[in-house]
Amino acid sequence: MSKKYLIVGGGIAGLSLSWQLQKQGISFQLIDQGISNSSSKIAAGMFNPVSGKRMTVSAEAHNMLASLDEMMEEMEALLQKKLYVKAPILQAFGNVKEANDFSAHLDRPSFATFVDANPTIDCKLEKEFGYFQVNGSGWVKTVEWIEAYQNYLEAEGKFTRAQFSYDGLIEQDGKWTYADETYEGIIFCEGSLFSHNPHFNWLPFKLCKGQVLLINCAGLNPSYILKRGVYLVHQYEDVYKVGATYEWEYEDALPTADGLNQLLEKLKQMISLPFEVLDQYAGIRPTTRDRGAILGEHPERKNLFVFNGLGTKGMLQAPLLAKNFAAFLQEGTTIPKQVSVQRFISFYSNGQ
Ligand SMILES: Cc1cc2nc3c(=O)[nH]c(=O)nc-3n(C[C@H](O)[C@H](O)[C@H](O)COP(=O)(O)OP(=O)(O)OC[C@H]3O[C@@H](n4cnc5c(N)ncnc54)[C@H](O)[C@@H]3O)c2cc1C
């Protein structure tokens, strides 16, 4: 009989992993409790090979984009839905220093491959200090994808809409039984809710709350992502998502007036068109102490696995990480050090 795994959590992590397991012919069941403000549902779903203020480009950027392409093209064909939009980012500098820093980065071939320093696109971006274009970027319509793929898996009998109860897990001869079904292993993909998991709650997450707005704004070109302090990503008709805040200290996962003001202030520096705020959302990113994802097996409990810590860049990272993880399960390949759970082993030992 073939090995069967239970995946706990059906956000970007759990769904990307189930896609890979399905491709590799590995059986699985996915369980998700369907919370409406999961990070994956709040996210703009953007992927951008250029990261942060320092404009770093991961050595894996091309592989990550290729895996994302593969996954989303297969998802669109399977689910018969438009879920994946490739769109350049038009990014304005906020001041002269940012413009100068950018010029210095152009010497790096890894950066220059993804960047057009002299775009000539007519857009409504406020760009008095200049702007540049990032290629290889775009967004995944995460809410539509999650709903459609979960529905598909449910119709296939591979998806359970329920809360996973950690007390219900029973170990027997190295295998795990849950709800009367025996699994080769359990793979935990609970995002920021990892702290409820008694087996992996020792991992050093440093969660980051994020807030976004939904606005209506006529006159923008929906084929581009605009960026200046915040980003604007098209949703439908004249509706755009504006994000995001990065809050390392917070009281709860709810939208706040402070979050609204921060986003509005930056938005007004980015565009001068009139707009109306339709809604505001907040979610918690599963960010880790060193910002790397966390993949691998529990240090002591055999066949309990974690696939988490996607942080601020879930969409770009998840498909390639899922490929690595499936190879690790199937062929015993090594998980890259920078994303392996092994690097945090001292947090487990110290907590025992
Ligand atoms: C405001 C904001 C904007 C963002 N924008 C982007 C962006 O543009 N691009 C990008 O790549 N990333 C973005 N992110 C980050 C991205 O959302 C995360 O990297 C990603 O969603 C993490 O996915 P996940 O599946 O690990 O976690 P989650 O999305 O949190 O999913 C975890 C799932 O596990 C389920 N679960 C947990 N515990 C249980 C249990 N006991 N039983 C059953 N189910 C359970 C939950 O219901 C949930 O569905 C953003 C995040 C925020 C907050």
Side-chain angles (χ1 to χ4, degrees), residues 150-208:
Q150 287 186 351
N151 286 345
Y152 165 83
L153 292 175
E154 191 169 30
E156 295 269 296
K158 295 177 179 167
F159 182 72
T160 312
R161 278 176 215 279
Q163 184 171 30
F164 175 84
S165 158
Y166 300 95
D167 294 340
L169 198 55
I170 300 161
E171 188 185 7
Q172 229 168 24
D173 306 327
K175 298 201 177 192
W176 294 91
T177 301
Y178 183 77
D180 298 329
E181 177 108 36
T182 299
Y183 298 95
E184 186 71 21
I186 316 290
I187 309 166
F188 292 106
C189 308
E190 310 111 312
S192 62
L193 296 178
F194 82 98
S195 56
H196 301 278
N197 184 334
H199 308 293
F200 285 107
N201 58 6
W202 49 273
L203 286 168
F205 278 82
K206 177 89 184 80
L207 303 178
C208 179

Side-chain angles (χ1 to χ4, degrees), residues 9 11-13 32-33 35 39-40 43-46 164 190 311-312 314-315:
I12 292 174
D32 191 282
Q33 63 192 5
I35 53 169
S39 194
S40 302
M46 249 191 328
F164 175 84
E190 310 111 312
T312 57
M315 223 43 262

